[in-house]
Amino acid sequence: MSDRYMNVAKDNARVGVQIGKAVGGVTVGGAPVKEDELRNRLAELRSAMRRSVESGKLGPDRCEEVESELSEVDAYIEGLGSRQRGTMLTALKKVKGLLGDFGDLASIAAVVLAVAQGVGQ
């Protein structure tokens, strides 16, 4: 058997993965994200928000709104109710929007959302 392989895809064909020879298991994509990673990122966001409130950059009312949405994420992680993944992701999208005017917090919120999208898949 030849060890030479050729891709014959044509006309806008998309090749997601091309493997010539596979021995053993093959996994495409990264390892699934653990809920611990989500917990850690949430703690990071909450810590940054606390510092922003203390410095006067973030108002306490806005912080309360964000915490209200983050309670949905906490409920998902703790497995309360039906563990609605969609509800958790929607809440994090709202958090990202609420913090959109605060660059450092918005970037952390975006990371939390990205991590959450990898949880439970």
Side-chain angles (χ1 to χ4, degrees), residues 66-93:
V66 171
E67 279 297 339
S68 174
E69 296 299 332
L70 291 179
S71 68
E72 293 289 339
V73 182
D74 293 334
Y76 176 84
I77 290 173
E78 298 306 319
L80 302 175
S82 59
R83 285 183 55 106
Q84 295 282 335
R85 185 171 180 273
T87 302
M88 181 230 357
L89 293 175
T90 299
L92 285 173
K93 289 174 186 175

Side-chain angles (χ1 to χ4, degrees), residues 2-114:
S2 171
D3 281 344
R4 186 167 178 217
Y5 305 96
M6 184 171 42
N7 181 349
V8 294
K10 298 178 184 174
D11 301 326
N12 295 323
R14 294 184 182 167
V15 178
V17 176
Q18 181 173 336
I19 300 173
K21 181 189 240 180
V23 178
V26 175
T27 303
V28 177
V33 179
K34 305 282 188 213
E35 288 179 359
D36 289 343
E37 176 70 13
L38 181 56
R39 281 187 182 94
N40 292 340
R41 297 299 181 161
L42 276 174
E44 180 184 351
L45 177 60
R46 284 183 163 126
S47 177
M49 284 178 17
R50 192 169 28 259
R51 287 190 305 271
S52 288
V53 169
E54 289 169 358
S55 71
K57 185 176 174 185
L58 179 68
D61 292 343
R62 179 71 56 97
C63 187
E64 263 184 52
E65 286 181 76
V66 171
E67 279 297 339
S68 174
E69 296 299 332
L70 291 179
S71 68
E72 293 289 339
V73 182
D74 293 334
Y76 176 84
I77 290 173
E78 298 306 319
L80 302 175
S82 59
R83 285 183 55 106
Q84 295 282 335
R85 185 171 180 273
T87 302
M88 181 230 357
L89 293 175
T90 299
L92 285 173
K93 289 174 186 175
K94 288 179 184 177
V95 165
K96 188 177 162 200
L98 287 167
L99 297 175
D101 294 336
F102 309 94
D104 55 337
L105 297 175
S107 64
I108 297 169
V111 170
V112 174
L113 176 59

